[in-house]
mmCIF file of all heavy atoms in Angstrom:
data_model
loop_
_atom_site.group_PDB
_atom_site.id
_atom_site.type_symbol
_atom_site.label_atom_id
_atom_site.label_comp_id
_atom_site.label_asym_id
_atom_site.label_seq_id
_atom_site.Cartn_x
_atom_site.Cartn_y
_atom_site.Cartn_z
ATOM 1 N N ALA A 98 2.572 45.502 13.356
ATOM 2 C CA ALA A 98 2.716 44.706 14.601
ATOM 3 C C ALA A 98 1.451 45.144 15.446
ATOM 4 O O ALA A 98 1.193 44.395 16.486
ATOM 5 C CB ALA A 98 3.949 44.998 15.353
ATOM 6 N N SER A 99 0.805 46.208 15.282
ATOM 7 C CA SER A 99 -0.160 46.803 16.144
ATOM 8 C C SER A 99 -1.463 45.901 16.311
ATOM 9 O O SER A 99 -2.254 45.941 17.263
ATOM 10 C CB SER A 99 -0.551 48.078 15.850
ATOM 11 O OG SER A 99 -1.372 48.202 14.594
ATOM 12 N N GLY A 100 -1.747 45.163 15.255
ATOM 13 C CA GLY A 100 -3.043 44.400 15.254
ATOM 14 C C GLY A 100 -4.215 45.363 14.954
ATOM 15 O O GLY A 100 -5.398 44.964 15.176
ATOM 16 N N THR A 101 -3.949 46.472 14.363
ATOM 17 C CA THR A 101 -4.994 47.513 14.080
ATOM 18 C C THR A 101 -5.286 47.731 12.614
ATOM 19 O O THR A 101 -6.175 48.492 12.246
ATOM 20 C CB THR A 101 -4.739 48.943 14.809
ATOM 21 O OG1 THR A 101 -3.479 49.362 14.270
ATOM 22 C CG2 THR A 101 -4.746 48.694 16.385
ATOM 23 N N LEU A 102 -4.392 47.298 11.762
ATOM 24 C CA LEU A 102 -4.483 47.456 10.280
ATOM 25 C C LEU A 102 -5.659 46.790 9.795
ATOM 26 O O LEU A 102 -5.818 45.604 9.810
ATOM 27 C CB LEU A 102 -3.117 47.013 9.607
ATOM 28 C CG LEU A 102 -3.156 47.225 8.107
ATOM 29 C CD1 LEU A 102 -3.180 48.654 7.728
ATOM 30 C CD2 LEU A 102 -1.934 46.625 7.517
ATOM 31 N N VAL A 103 -6.658 47.563 9.183
ATOM 32 C CA VAL A 103 -7.811 47.060 8.536
ATOM 33 C C VAL A 103 -7.623 47.125 6.953
ATOM 34 O O VAL A 103 -7.365 48.238 6.489
ATOM 35 C CB VAL A 103 -9.061 47.867 8.916
ATOM 36 C CG1 VAL A 103 -10.215 47.263 8.240
ATOM 37 C CG2 VAL A 103 -9.157 47.836 10.447
ATOM 38 N N LEU A 104 -7.655 46.029 6.348
ATOM 39 C CA LEU A 104 -7.443 46.031 4.964
ATOM 40 C C LEU A 104 -8.676 46.513 4.168
ATOM 41 O O LEU A 104 -9.793 46.380 4.728
ATOM 42 C CB LEU A 104 -7.146 44.575 4.449
ATOM 43 C CG LEU A 104 -5.837 43.997 5.047
ATOM 44 C CD1 LEU A 104 -5.672 42.535 4.515
ATOM 45 C CD2 LEU A 104 -4.647 44.807 4.619
ATOM 46 N N LYS A 105 -8.483 46.946 2.929
ATOM 47 C CA LYS A 105 -9.602 47.459 2.130
ATOM 48 C C LYS A 105 -10.713 46.297 1.984
ATOM 49 O O LYS A 105 -10.406 45.169 1.776
ATOM 50 C CB LYS A 105 -9.085 47.785 0.741
ATOM 51 C CG LYS A 105 -10.192 48.386 -0.210
ATOM 52 C CD LYS A 105 -9.464 48.714 -1.548
ATOM 53 C CE LYS A 105 -10.589 49.251 -2.323
ATOM 54 N NZ LYS A 105 -10.152 49.431 -3.749
ATOM 55 N N ASP A 106 -11.915 46.827 2.132
ATOM 56 C CA ASP A 106 -13.086 45.892 1.977
ATOM 57 C C ASP A 106 -13.178 44.877 3.192
ATOM 58 O O ASP A 106 -13.961 43.849 3.152
ATOM 59 C CB ASP A 106 -13.199 45.169 0.639
ATOM 60 C CG ASP A 106 -13.282 46.123 -0.501
ATOM 61 O OD1 ASP A 106 -13.919 47.142 -0.340
ATOM 62 O OD2 ASP A 106 -12.607 45.816 -1.543
ATOM 63 N N GLU A 107 -12.542 45.039 4.268
ATOM 64 C CA GLU A 107 -12.720 44.299 5.453
ATOM 65 C C GLU A 107 -13.165 44.976 6.658
ATOM 66 O O GLU A 107 -12.878 46.300 6.695
ATOM 67 C CB GLU A 107 -11.366 43.434 5.693
ATOM 68 C CG GLU A 107 -11.083 42.438 4.609
ATOM 69 C CD GLU A 107 -10.072 41.406 5.032
ATOM 70 O OE1 GLU A 107 -9.801 41.225 6.209
ATOM 71 O OE2 GLU A 107 -9.541 40.793 4.187
ATOM 72 N N LYS A 108 -13.654 44.319 7.610
ATOM 73 C CA LYS A 108 -14.097 45.051 8.944
ATOM 74 C C LYS A 108 -13.163 44.736 10.049
ATOM 75 O O LYS A 108 -12.962 45.541 10.861
ATOM 76 C CB LYS A 108 -15.553 44.578 9.285
ATOM 77 C CG LYS A 108 -16.594 45.126 8.195
ATOM 78 C CD LYS A 108 -18.003 44.656 8.607
ATOM 79 C CE LYS A 108 -18.980 45.376 7.843
ATOM 80 N NZ LYS A 108 -19.303 44.680 6.625
ATOM 81 N N GLU A 109 -12.612 43.568 10.064
ATOM 82 C CA GLU A 109 -11.778 43.162 11.188
ATOM 83 C C GLU A 109 -10.306 43.473 10.878
ATOM 84 O O GLU A 109 -9.822 43.161 9.823
ATOM 85 C CB GLU A 109 -11.856 41.561 11.416
ATOM 86 C CG GLU A 109 -13.253 41.240 11.904
ATOM 87 C CD GLU A 109 -13.597 41.866 13.308
ATOM 88 O OE1 GLU A 109 -12.714 41.885 14.117
ATOM 89 O OE2 GLU A 109 -14.779 42.273 13.424
ATOM 90 N N PRO A 110 -9.578 43.977 11.789
ATOM 91 C CA PRO A 110 -8.142 44.234 11.593
ATOM 92 C C PRO A 110 -7.335 42.899 11.447
ATOM 93 O O PRO A 110 -7.738 41.836 11.994
ATOM 94 C CB PRO A 110 -7.643 45.031 12.801
ATOM 95 C CG PRO A 110 -8.716 44.619 13.942
ATOM 96 C CD PRO A 110 -9.961 44.360 13.269
ATOM 97 N N CYS A 111 -6.152 43.014 10.784
ATOM 98 C CA CYS A 111 -5.244 41.959 10.685
ATOM 99 C C CYS A 111 -4.584 41.573 12.057
ATOM 100 O O CYS A 111 -4.523 42.509 12.862
ATOM 101 C CB CYS A 111 -4.115 42.299 9.783
ATOM 102 S SG CYS A 111 -4.515 42.558 8.029
ATOM 103 N N ALA A 112 -4.304 40.374 12.277
ATOM 104 C CA ALA A 112 -3.536 39.956 13.467
ATOM 105 C C ALA A 112 -2.213 40.587 13.461
ATOM 106 O O ALA A 112 -1.795 40.926 12.374
ATOM 107 C CB ALA A 112 -3.446 38.421 13.519
#
Side-chain angles (χ1 to χ4, degrees):
S99 70
T101 62
L102 179 65
V103 178
L104 299 175
K105 184 179 176 185
D106 299 326
E107 293 198 15
K108 292 183 171 83
E109 295 296 318
C111 294

